[in-house]
Amino acid sequence: QVQLVESGGGLVQAGGSLRLSCTASEDTFSTHTMGWFRQAPGKERENIAAIAWGQGIIKYYHDSVKGRFTISKDNSKNTAYLQMNNLKPEDTAVYSCAAARDEYFIKSAAYLPSDFGSWGQGTRVTVSS
């Protein structure tokens, strides 16, 4: 099973930016959809972004982060990124990256945690007001 390691979380003021990274132990993101999830205290884990390769790169964003977050990947580095701009206090959560269970599994809407078989340990993002 591929190992995923996130980095880049921390404390930032509202309006600030952070970039999260997710590095895989092997070539994964060239064939498997990669997703970013977050879980705030007392809330369910939600899919906020995903990137896949179909007929071109296909990206998904949750409405709450559209226009502020950008997902990308560098297959040569086995690394995916989540650039987070204009952060808000409601973005405070533990952020996790995940790789889909199956190759070339692509959805046109939000992914479910059950769609993913490999998970990182999570990185905490705290946005102060």
Side-chain angles (χ1 to χ4, degrees):
Q1 189 176 17
V2 64
Q3 304 299 313
L4 303 176
V5 179
E6 300 107 335
S7 62
L11 173 64
V12 64
Q13 289 188 333
S17 298
L18 285 173
R19 188 177 79 156
L20 305 183
S21 299
C22 174
T23 300
S25 57
E26 58 191 70
D27 180 14
T28 299
F29 302 143
S30 60
T31 56
H32 291 69
T33 294
M34 180 274 171
W36 282 100
F37 288 75
R38 68 184 180 189
Q39 187 166 22
K43 295 188 176 181
E44 293 188 353
R45 181 180 290 180
E46 63 179 355
N47 176 215
I48 57 169
I51 187 167
W53 175 260
Q55 294 185 343
I57 294 177
I58 300 170
K59 297 182 181 181
Y60 161 81
Y61 294 101
H62 191 278
D63 285 346
S64 66
V65 306
K66 281 182 181 177
R68 300 189 298 123
F69 290 11
T70 302
I71 189 170
S72 62
K73 61 177 181 171
D74 185 338
N75 290 339
S76 68
K77 297 181 179 179
N78 295 336
T79 299
Y81 306 94
L82 185 68
Q83 177 66 43
M84 306 186 295
N85 297 329
N86 190 23
L87 283 160
K88 304 176 181 181
E90 52 263 42
D91 294 319
T92 295
V94 174
Y95 287 69
S96 300
C97 65
R101 295 183 184 278
D102 301 316
E103 289 185 338
Y104 306 113
F105 176 76
I106 300 173
K107 295 171 72 170
S108 58
Y111 291 80
L112 299 173
S114 58
D115 294 329
F116 296 83
S118 299
W119 291 83
Q121 81 285 359
T123 186
R124 186 173 299 276
V125 172
T126 303
V127 184
S128 62
S129 57

